[in-house]
Amino acid sequence: ALIAGTADFGPMSRNMKKKEIDEFESKFAYKPTELPAAIDMLAVFVHRDNPIESLTLPQVDAIYSSSRKLGFPTDIKKWGDLGVKGEWASKPISLYGRNAASGTYGFFKEHVLGNGDFKKSVKEQPGSSAVVQGVATDKFAIGYSGIGYSTADVRAVPLAKDSKGKVFAAEADYAYSGDYPLARFLNITLNYQPGSKLDPLKREFLKYVCSREGQRDVMKDGYLPISSKVADKALSSVGVDTKGALGLNK
């Protein structure tokens, strides 16, 4: 839509692909601009009654992918394969995820599957809330979605980068520190010619996004605010005066 000129802003939950950037640049002779608007944590959700304590990214890869590019030695099909006991041990893991048009799908595929292939058994959902709802109503399910979609019926499983790494919960402190392995910026992408001046409407919208008010709205939806330093840098990159347009955190 940005390339076609039918949209002023492109909100995205992943970075643009090289192919997309190249296509944009071939038309306009400069690159698209990506501005961070919020911080999200991609969570791996299970039913609230699920006793699993934690997972490593290679384990999650082996649950979701037929390729297992992160190196886990065996396929994981049942909860017992993860050491879960009792009634859970023999139960197949029911997989929920997003469809290929989703930025969350792309982020998960890159960072958890190592760009491997999803299993055909994944129940692809049109939205993140649908993934969480699926897990909430399917006791033996697992699903990935932004932490902002969490409900009382599901639980975000703490994650470790690998079997030797420390386990971190999907909590704000670990997102800001970089310890939680699936933290990410949510971006607003726009067509901005370097050195030009944004029209007033676009400028004021971006100032709102990076303002205290805008970042409070980010928090209301369950995401994390960007820092004032990140906000200043984002606005400066499109020639916007940053005075009075600060994020919530230093």
Side-chain angles (χ1 to χ4, degrees):
L2 287 171
I3 294 169
T6 58
D8 290 323
F9 299 106
M12 299 178 71
S13 56
R14 61 163 173 80
N15 291 329
M16 292 186 74
K17 299 176 182 178
K18 184 179 184 301
K19 179 181 178 182
E20 294 167 334
I21 295 173
D22 290 345
E23 186 179 350
F24 184 100
E25 191 172 11
S26 69
K27 181 172 182 178
F28 297 104
Y30 52 87
K31 296 182 185 296
T33 299
E34 291 181 299
L35 305 182
I39 297 172
D40 184 27
M41 291 175 285
L42 195 63
V44 176
F45 289 111
V46 295
H47 190 275
R48 64 182 180 185
D49 296 332
N50 192 314
I52 191 81
E53 293 182 0
S54 64
L55 290 167
T56 67
L57 294 190
Q59 284 177 322
V60 181
D61 178 35
I63 292 169
Y64 270 96
S65 176
S66 57
S67 308
R68 299 205 308 276
K69 290 201 171 185
L70 296 196
F72 198 79
T74 58
D75 190 13
I76 296 176
K77 295 181 179 180
K78 299 179 181 180
W79 286 107
D81 297 335
L82 294 164
V84 182
K85 307 294 184 182
E87 66 164 322
W88 297 80
S90 63
K91 300 297 184 182
I93 301 174
S94 180
L95 306 176
Y96 286 79
R98 294 297 310 277
N99 55 34
S102 160
T104 296
Y105 171 103
F107 183 91
F108 193 84
K109 181 179 174 69
E110 178 182 353
H111 292 273
V112 181
L113 273 57
N115 284 317
D117 298 320
F118 279 96
K119 292 178 179 177
K120 294 182 180 179
S121 58
V122 178
K123 303 175 185 68
E124 294 187 351
Q125 305 298 307
S128 292
S129 59
V131 172
V132 173
Q133 181 61 26
V135 176
T137 56
D138 186 345
K139 186 176 179 181
F140 303 104
I142 193 168
Y144 63 88
S145 176
I147 192 66
Y149 293 90
S150 182
T151 69
D153 296 317
V154 298
R155 183 170 62 86
V157 182
L159 300 175
K161 187 175 181 180
D162 52 44
S163 60
K164 297 180 181 179
K166 291 184 178 181
V167 173
F168 294 97
E171 297 175 356
D173 286 348
Y174 299 133
Y176 284 120
S177 68
D179 291 316
Y180 183 72
L182 296 181
R184 59 179 177 170
F185 280 116
L186 300 179
N187 297 319
I188 293 177
T189 307
L190 69 154
N191 183 339
Y192 171 72
Q193 184 175 2
S196 66
K197 193 170 185 178
L198 284 175
D199 71 65
L201 189 59
K202 290 181 182 179
R203 183 181 67 245
E204 290 306 312
F205 177 73
L206 292 176
K207 287 178 70 174
Y208 154 71
V209 169
C210 292
S211 71
R212 292 181 181 275
E213 180 185 1
Q215 290 299 298
R216 287 192 183 103
D217 286 340
V218 161
M219 295 173 69
K220 286 177 184 177
D221 263 2
Y223 300 103
L224 302 175
I226 57 176
S227 68
S228 59
K229 183 177 180 180
V230 171
D232 285 348
K233 184 177 179 181
L235 292 175
S236 295
S237 72
V238 290
V240 177
D241 182 4
T242 61
K243 293 180 179 179
L246 302 178
L248 291 175
N249 297 328
K250 295 295 183 186

